[in-house]
Amino acid sequence: MRCRFFLPDNHSRRASLLLLMAAFLWGSGNLANKTILSDVDPVCAVFLRSSIAVPALLWPVWRERLRPRPEGWLRSVGPGSLMFALALLTQQWGYQTATVTNASFLVNASCVLTPVLGVLFWRDRLQGRTVISAVLVLMGALLMSGAWWSLATVNTGDALCLVSALFYSFWIILIGRHLERFPTPAATTLAQCLCAALISVPLVLAGDPVAPQDWWGAMPEALYLGLFSTAAAFALTAAAQTRVSASTAAILVSAESLFGGAAGIVFLAERPAPAALLGGGLVLAAILTMALRPEPIRAKLRLAATRPSLTTSQ
């Protein structure tokens, strides 16, 4: 039987809700991504958030009751986990010089890159409203960020955030295809976090030593990022991707920019310009378009050979 710990039914609108919840957790964590760098470097930040996420995911993995692991599971989850680690690292490096607003906009470029990559590499078919929604998100995020810069003003952090968006696009496609075969969101998220933590270890050791007080100073942000913006958010995304397409998922999680902007208004007393409000309206329109009629995955879940190993949690 299918594991129903994260996704109690197969309704695609339930998956849309999970993706919006993940976007809220990412958006609310954008400020922590920036402030944690006052204590530790980007690699240490990724190591901390990934390491904290791993034990938080052990109980959900146990609830999935996956015994034994299906044949081909590790080989399937590997490429997506590598893209996940690279996306986290490049995004965190980008936060060193990119503003929180610009970083949010540039990372959300993945909503356009994802359907494009799906067509180029996997010959996916796109619905017209998916293309329109992706363009609306990009235009809206641009207005919200005020990033009407020219190529001459793009700094290293901005470029790294754009590279991160490319990695996120590959990640959401590869993990989506993996979850079509193996609907195991908790175990898949655990594998991704382990991969990010393990890749970070040699980079941490090769860098400058970090004082114990700096590790401790970074802990409040690391706990939020690890428990909520990593473990919870990516597990919710994985659960939703067992029901909706990668293109739909990329557009819905772009609501991160809306939640990040709302957090700035509430906690930082920011006052958005009229153009930013218009941009938020465009993003909201695109998200509602996809949330009300989400595009399902291309194929039915293929787990017939391993279903006896999956039990429903009571």
Side-chain angles (χ1 to χ4, degrees), residues 23-24 26-31 100-101 104 144 254-268 270:
F24 170 77
W26 283 326
S28 60
N30 281 344
L31 186 60
V100 173
T101 303
S104 298
M144 290 179 67
S254 66
E256 169 192 351
S257 59
L258 293 179
F259 293 122
I265 293 172
V266 174
F267 297 107
L268 302 178
E270 294 180 351

Side-chain angles (χ1 to χ4, degrees), residues 159-181:
L160 285 171
C161 287
L162 192 56
V163 173
S164 175
L166 181 63
F167 285 135
Y168 274 124
S169 298
F170 277 114
W171 160 74
I172 205 166
I173 293 173
L174 291 169
I175 287 299
R177 295 173 71 86
H178 163 76
L179 289 165
E180 287 180 25
R181 298 180 57 201

